[in-house]
Amino acid sequence: MDQKKIGAFLKELRKEKGLTQEQLSELLHVTGRSVSRWETGSNMPDLSILVELSEFYGVELRELIDGERKNGQMTAEEKETVGKIAEYTGTEKRQKAGRLNRYFVLGLSFIVTVLLHRQLGILSWVFRSNVDEFVCGMLCGLGLLFELIGFYNNNHDVPFREKKRAVLRRIMKRP
């Protein structure tokens, strides 16, 4: 896949519709920066967004992925398969977002507990001796650890990206 070619094609299609990048981003519920990155070829839209773009522009998904208009039409079966794949990737993204949110919330709750203890001494109500300082340190460390795990997982999604590329390659190899 030639991302630059795909980006130029996406830009051409957007301009044919007479839209700005910001207007398109609002329609797709993404940032204007995302649309800009797609059109420069530095990033690719998710498969679910590619499906939305193909429907919006009235072009085949295969044309979007190739970065040029084609004469051949996708069969109904191929369209159904692509729709199912897009639905699957959307579900997978929601599950991942849920996991990340749990990491962030758990880490933040630990840190807030430590801050509340510093201001109100809430851990002293539970622990009667100097154990509360140890617990404060442990909670703060765990909070930071969970935040770091969340950030790492958010920025290192290689297996998901590789699965998506493999599915796209299989679709494109069909006669």
Side-chain angles (χ1 to χ4, degrees), residues 59-94:
V59 296
E60 297 293 328
L61 185 61
R62 187 176 295 169
E63 292 174 313
L64 281 181
I65 293 171
D66 287 341
E68 61 188 15
R69 295 189 192 274
K70 304 261 186 206
N71 290 334
Q73 296 288 322
M74 283 178 79
T75 66
E77 184 179 315
E78 288 174 327
K79 285 182 183 180
E80 183 182 341
T81 302
V82 170
K84 286 180 182 178
I85 292 168
E87 185 179 317
Y88 172 76
T89 56
T91 302
E92 196 169 275
K93 280 175 60 178
R94 283 190 297 279

Side-chain angles (χ1 to χ4, degrees), residues 155-168:
N155 294 320
H156 291 85
D157 193 15
V158 175
F160 178 71
R161 289 182 189 144
E162 289 304 315
K163 279 192 246 176
K164 185 170 62 173
R165 286 185 185 133
V167 167
L168 286 174

Side-chain angles (χ1 to χ4, degrees), residues 11-28:
K11 184 176 184 177
E12 176 187 324
L13 291 170
R14 177 183 54 80
K15 287 190 174 194
E16 284 176 10
K17 287 274 190 179
L19 295 172
T20 64
Q21 287 181 345
E22 200 60 39
Q23 290 169 328
L24 180 63
S25 70
E26 288 174 12
L27 288 170
L28 297 173

